[in-house]
Amino acid sequence: MTSVLVLNGPNLNLLGTRQPEIYGTTTLADVEAICADHGAAQGFDVTCLQSNHEGGLVDAIHGAKGVHDGIVLNAGAYTHTSIALHDAIVGVELPVVELHLSNIHARESFRHTSFIAPVAVGMICGFGAPGYVLALDALLGHLGRAK
Ligand code: CA2
């Protein structure tokens, strides 16, 4: 069975608790349940992880090699700073769909740069929590395993 890692980065554990005008009211637990339910409905396995630490995210990407077929990654603020995450994605040679709840290009200029984008299959941003389902479907399509 196709297996996907949904990996969330720093501060995303606070989802639904603050800044609802930007990130919505859906909690991280809700997002993870939505992803698991979508996988169950579409016949693929979903594993969800979250870390507030850059090294924890690097370890999760490394750990996905040989276990998962691809990654949906919301790297949070590390999107805009982390060469380590960029290099980890290159290192594991797994397809990554970059995901952001907000439209990072409509926000502060420091959010317009992504170190993930050049090594991702593509990016979904600006659609809130439903974007995770769009990203999962995009990844399954890329893997040639969409129903
Ligand atoms: O839009 C996204 O998904 C982001 O990846 C979210 C990051 C931000 O740094 C990126 O530029 C865009 C921040 C996540 C913080 O989430 C919070 C949620 C509720 C309360 C506080 C933070």
Coordinates of all heavy atoms in Angstrom, one line a residue, residues 10-12 14-19 23 74-77 79-80 99-104 107 111, ligand 1:
P10 N 7.7 23.8 12.9 CA 7.6 24.5 14.2 C 6.3 25.4 14.3 O 5.9 26.0 13.4 CB 8.8 25.5 14.1 CG 9.2 25.5 12.7 CD 8.9 24.2 12.1
N11 N 5.8 25.3 15.5 CA 4.6 26.1 15.9 C 3.3 25.6 15.4 O 2.2 26.1 15.8 CB 4.8 27.6 15.6 CG 6.0 28.2 16.4 OD1 6.1 28.0 17.6 ND2 6.9 28.8 15.7
L12 N 3.4 24.6 14.5 CA 2.1 24.1 13.9 C 1.3 23.3 14.9 O 0.1 23.1 14.7 CB 2.4 23.4 12.6 CG 2.7 24.4 11.5 CD1 3.5 23.7 10.4 CD2 1.5 25.0 10.9
L14 N 0.4 24.7 17.5 CA -0.4 25.7 18.0 C -1.6 26.0 17.2 O -2.5 26.9 17.5 CB 0.4 27.0 18.2 CG 1.5 26.9 19.2 CD1 2.3 28.3 19.2 CD2 1.1 26.6 20.6
L15 N -1.7 25.3 16.0 CA -2.8 25.5 15.1 C -4.2 25.5 15.8 O -4.4 24.6 16.6 CB -2.9 24.4 14.0 CG -2.2 24.7 12.7 CD1 -2.4 23.5 11.8 CD2 -2.5 26.0 12.1
G16 N -5.0 26.5 15.4 CA -6.4 26.5 15.9 C -6.5 27.2 17.3 O -7.6 27.4 17.8
T17 N -5.4 27.6 17.8 CA -5.4 28.2 19.2 C -5.2 29.7 19.1 O -5.7 30.4 20.0 CB -4.3 27.6 20.1 OG1 -3.0 28.0 19.6 CG2 -4.5 26.1 20.2
R18 N -4.5 30.2 18.1 CA -4.2 31.6 17.9 C -4.1 32.0 16.4 O -4.0 31.1 15.6 CB -2.9 32.0 18.6 CG -2.9 31.8 20.1 CD -1.5 31.9 20.7 NE -1.0 33.3 20.5 CZ 0.2 33.6 20.9 NH1 1.1 32.7 21.3 NH2 0.6 34.9 20.7
Q19 N -4.2 33.2 16.1 CA -4.1 33.7 14.7 C -5.1 33.0 13.8 O -4.7 32.6 12.7 CB -2.7 33.7 14.2 CG -1.7 34.5 15.0 CD -0.3 34.5 14.4 OE1 0.5 33.7 14.6 NE2 -0.1 35.5 13.5
Y23 N -4.5 31.3 10.0 CA -4.3 29.9 9.9 C -5.6 29.1 10.2 O -5.5 27.9 10.1 CB -3.2 29.4 11.0 CG -1.9 30.1 10.7 CD1 -1.3 30.9 11.7 CD2 -1.2 29.9 9.5 CE1 0.0 31.5 11.5 CE2 0.0 30.5 9.3 CZ 0.6 31.3 10.3 OH 1.8 31.9 10.0
N74 N 4.9 20.7 5.6 CA 4.7 22.1 6.0 C 5.8 22.4 6.9 O 5.7 22.0 8.1 CB 3.3 22.3 6.6 CG 3.2 23.8 6.9 OD1 4.1 24.6 6.9 ND2 1.9 24.2 7.2
A75 N 6.9 22.9 6.4 CA 8.1 23.2 7.3 C 8.0 24.4 8.1 O 9.0 24.8 8.8 CB 9.3 23.2 6.4
G76 N 6.8 25.1 8.1 CA 6.6 26.3 8.9 C 7.7 27.3 8.6 O 8.1 27.4 7.4
A77 N 8.2 28.0 9.6 CA 9.2 29.1 9.3 C 10.5 28.5 8.8 O 11.3 29.3 8.2 CB 9.4 29.9 10.6
T79 N 10.8 26.8 6.4 CA 10.7 26.9 4.9 C 11.6 28.0 4.4 O 12.3 27.8 3.3 CB 9.3 27.3 4.6 OG1 8.4 26.3 5.0 CG2 9.1 27.5 3.1
H80 N 11.7 29.1 5.1 CA 12.3 30.3 4.7 C 13.8 30.4 5.1 O 14.4 31.4 4.7 CB 11.5 31.5 5.2 CG 10.1 31.4 5.1 ND1 9.4 31.2 3.9 CD2 9.1 31.3 6.1 CE1 8.1 31.0 4.2 NE2 7.9 31.1 5.5
L99 N 3.6 22.4 1.4 CA 2.2 22.8 1.8 C 2.3 24.0 2.8 O 3.1 23.9 3.7 CB 1.5 21.6 2.4 CG 0.1 21.7 2.9 CD1 -0.1 22.4 4.3 CD2 -0.9 22.3 1.9
H100 N 1.5 25.0 2.5 CA 1.3 26.1 3.5 C -0.2 26.4 3.6 O -0.9 26.4 2.6 CB 2.1 27.3 3.1 CG 3.6 27.1 3.0 ND1 4.4 26.9 4.1 CD2 4.4 26.9 1.9 CE1 5.6 26.7 3.7 NE2 5.6 26.6 2.4
L101 N -0.6 26.6 4.9 CA -2.0 27.0 5.1 C -2.3 28.3 4.5 O -3.3 28.5 3.9 CB -2.2 27.0 6.6 CG -2.1 25.7 7.3 CD1 -1.6 25.9 8.8 CD2 -3.4 25.0 7.3
S102 N -1.4 29.3 4.7 CA -1.5 30.6 4.2 C -0.9 30.8 2.9 O 0.0 30.0 2.5 CB -0.9 31.6 5.2 OG 0.5 31.4 5.4
N103 N -1.3 31.9 2.2 CA -0.6 32.2 0.9 C 0.7 33.0 1.2 O 0.6 34.2 1.4 CB -1.5 33.0 0.0 CG -0.9 33.4 -1.3 OD1 0.3 33.1 -1.5 ND2 -1.6 34.0 -2.2
I104 N 1.8 32.3 1.3 CA 3.0 32.9 1.7 C 3.5 34.0 0.8 O 4.2 34.9 1.2 CB 4.2 31.9 1.9 CG1 4.4 31.1 0.6 CG2 3.9 30.9 3.0 CD1 5.7 30.2 0.6
R107 N 2.1 37.5 1.9 CA 2.4 38.0 3.2 C 3.8 38.7 3.2 O 4.2 39.2 2.1 CB 2.4 36.7 4.1 CG 1.1 36.0 4.2 CD 1.1 34.9 5.1 NE 1.3 35.3 6.5 CZ 1.6 34.5 7.5 NH1 1.6 33.2 7.3 NH2 1.8 35.0 8.7
R111 N 8.7 35.8 3.8 CA 8.0 34.5 3.5 C 7.9 34.1 2.1 O 7.4 33.1 1.7 CB 6.6 34.5 4.1 CG 6.5 34.7 5.6 CD 5.1 34.5 6.2 NE 5.0 35.2 7.4 CZ 5.3 34.7 8.6 NH1 5.7 33.4 8.7 NH2 5.1 35.3 9.7
Ligands
CA2_1 O1 1.1 29.1 6.2 C1 1.8 28.2 6.6 O2 1.4 27.0 6.7 C2 3.2 28.5 7.3 O3 4.1 27.4 6.9 C3 3.0 28.6 8.7 C4 4.2 29.1 9.5 C5 4.8 30.3 8.8 O4 6.1 30.6 9.5 C6 5.1 30.1 7.4 O5 5.6 31.3 6.8 C7 3.8 29.7 6.7 C8 3.9 29.4 11.0 C9 3.2 28.4 11.7 C10 2.7 29.0 13.0 O6 1.4 28.5 13.3 C11 0.8 29.1 14.3 C12 -0.5 28.7 14.4 C13 -1.3 29.3 15.5 C14 -0.7 30.2 16.4 C15 0.6 30.5 16.2 C16 1.4 29.9 15.2

